[in-house]
Amino acid sequence: MVRLSLAAASLAALLVVSPAAAFVAAPNKQSTVRRSMVAAAPLSETSTSFDLDAYLMSKKAPIEAALEASIVSVGPQTEKICESMLYSLMAGGKRIRPVLCLAAAEMFGGTEEQSMPTAVALEMIHTMSLIHDDLPSMDNDDLRRGKPTNHIVYGEDVAILSGDALLSTSFEHVARNTKNVTPDRILDVICRLGKSVGHVGLAGGQVMDLQCEAKGDATLDELRWIHTHKTATLLEVAVASGAILGGATPEEVAACQQYALDIGLAFQVADDILDVTASTEDLGKTAAKDLVADKTTYVKLLGLDGAKAEAKRLVDEAKEALAPFGDRAAPLIGIADYIIERKN
């Protein structure tokens, strides 16, 4: 088992899809020695000495620096919107999506230089979704990551435009700043990012969520569809994009996507559990909001114990998908365990 004694604290300290077969794997001189999906190393053989805490902390400064440098005002005319964008982008958070992207790239011999622009783009898209989710017309929340939400500080109009600007800037950032990666792989990443936000991604999942909320109930299948697209999709793209940038084959990308889909759903199940077990202070957002609103959640449909069992099942399945990669998957396996052990 990957050591997790301080993992939750480390991630808190960060406060910080086209089909795989659609792209042709380009040669990667860094990854020519490890092309086998047959000789899978059992999960029990994954190194027990891997220090997840140290790994996470090693990513903190580079990620934060890259995020801060990604939004620069070009003059007084753009100062307000850039300030609003940075207010939410730099408001903290676990930075799980950037870390997943960097870890997946490293698993296949990629470098931080190759994957950091996409890691930044993922956090831009995630931040956009939070700004928009918090709006009065959506979840109507006034607290995010322990701070007033963007529209409370800057107004609804600027908040909406800041989210729009973060989304469009994310694609530009990948296209302009990704180095030492073949164009076909960069294009594949951009396509996946775009799809993750569309009608079969964040937007589609959010609309389905609103529809189910309006009718006052949802089935388990509907709930899984919502969170496969609203929550898991961006995590899936984070891991798949990192793998692509690192030189993975289509088969290896598919294994990474399965892992990410599972942890994405587990992440939402864990969120539903925390909504009824954690405090507002611990969460950094309003606790028990879904419970008070009688919103359909995994806890409501499965019960607390059933939701915990489902989260564990998903994480076990996620780790099994990474079995072929042995010790190289240690950071991703550690993050999977963290997802259901976190306190916020």
Side-chain angles (χ1 to χ4, degrees):
M1 175 61 68
V2 178
R3 185 166 73 81
L4 288 170
S5 59
L6 296 174
S10 293
L11 268 173
L14 290 179
L15 277 178
V16 300
V17 351
S18 57
F23 79 90
V24 179
N28 188 327
K29 65 182 180 180
Q30 297 172 308
S31 55
T32 56
V33 297
R34 48 106 194 109
R35 288 290 191 251
S36 176
M37 294 290 288
V38 179
L43 288 176
S44 60
E45 293 180 13
T46 298
S47 174
T48 58
S49 63
F50 177 77
D51 191 339
L52 180 62
D53 305 314
Y55 180 83
L56 294 171
M57 291 306 295
S58 74
K59 301 302 177 189
K60 177 183 177 181
I63 289 173
E64 296 299 320
L67 289 171
E68 189 166 19
S70 67
I71 306 295
V72 179
S73 176
V74 297
Q77 299 88 347
T78 60
E79 284 181 3
K80 183 65 172 286
I81 191 167
C82 288
E83 179 185 321
S84 175
M85 293 164 72
L86 283 168
Y87 174 82
S88 292
L89 188 64
M90 302 305 297
K94 299 174 237 355
R95 310 304 194 202
I96 285 179
R97 291 152 194 83
V99 172
L100 286 171
C101 181
L102 299 179
E106 290 171 359
M107 188 164 72
F108 296 102
T111 66
E112 194 172 280
E113 178 192 33
Q114 291 171 314
S115 54
M116 186 61 82
T118 298
V120 168
L122 287 158
E123 195 67 10
M124 287 181 176
I125 293 172
H126 176 55
T127 301
M128 172 278 297
S129 74
L130 299 182
I131 293 173
H132 286 179
D133 276 355
D134 290 335
L135 291 169
S137 59
M138 303 284 276
D139 289 347
N140 191 26
D141 219 328
D142 58 5
L143 191 67
R144 172 70 67 176
R145 293 170 172 171
K147 300 174 64 175
T149 48
N150 196 291
H151 69 273
I152 294 295
V153 177
Y154 296 98
E156 287 185 53
D157 48 2
V158 174
I160 291 170
L161 293 169
S162 295
D164 293 344
L166 283 166
L167 179 59
S168 59
T169 302
S170 69
F171 304 118
E172 178 192 2
H173 194 76
V174 174
R176 186 182 299 276
N177 295 292
T178 305
K179 310 297 182 186
N180 301 316
V181 178
T182 56
D184 60 316
R185 289 179 179 265
I186 297 173
L187 179 60
D188 192 8
V189 167
I190 293 172
C191 288
R192 288 169 185 263
L193 288 170
K195 184 176 180 180
S196 76
V197 202
H199 65 286
V200 288
L202 292 172
Q206 183 66 52
V207 169
M208 183 68 169
D209 193 19
L210 291 170
Q211 289 177 327
C212 287
E213 188 174 344
K215 73 177 185 178
D217 204 358
T219 66
L220 188 58
D221 284 343
E222 287 174 328
L223 196 62
R224 285 175 175 147
W225 195 96
I226 289 168
H227 294 301
T228 293
H229 296 85
K230 181 182 174 182
T231 305
T233 294
L234 198 55
L235 292 172
E236 181 182 337
V237 173
V239 182
S241 294
I244 291 165
L245 294 166
T249 67
E251 293 79 12
E252 289 167 333
V253 172
C256 289
Q257 286 179 286
Q258 182 60 56
Y259 158 85
L261 175 61
D262 285 329
I263 67 163
L265 289 174
F267 192 95
Q268 184 59 51
V269 178
D271 262 5
D272 289 352
I273 292 169
L274 288 170
D275 185 66
V276 299
T277 61
S279 67
T280 295
E281 291 72 26
D282 288 337
L283 292 176
K285 60 182 179 180
T286 308
K289 188 171 182 180
D290 291 343
L291 182 64
V292 171
D294 196 30
K295 191 172 181 179
T296 302
T297 66
Y298 285 96
V299 173
K300 181 179 179 181
L301 294 181
L302 301 176
L304 184 58
D305 289 341
K308 289 179 178 179
E310 175 67 0
K312 184 179 185 305
R313 181 192 70 79
L314 288 164
V315 166
D316 287 345
E317 186 174 277
K319 292 191 286 188
E320 189 61 35
L322 298 184
F325 309 121
D327 286 353
R328 292 182 288 120
L332 295 179
I333 289 173
I335 292 169
D337 284 329
Y338 161 78
I339 279 175
I340 58 172
E341 295 178 4
R342 62 195 169 94
K343 304 303 180 185
N344 58 31

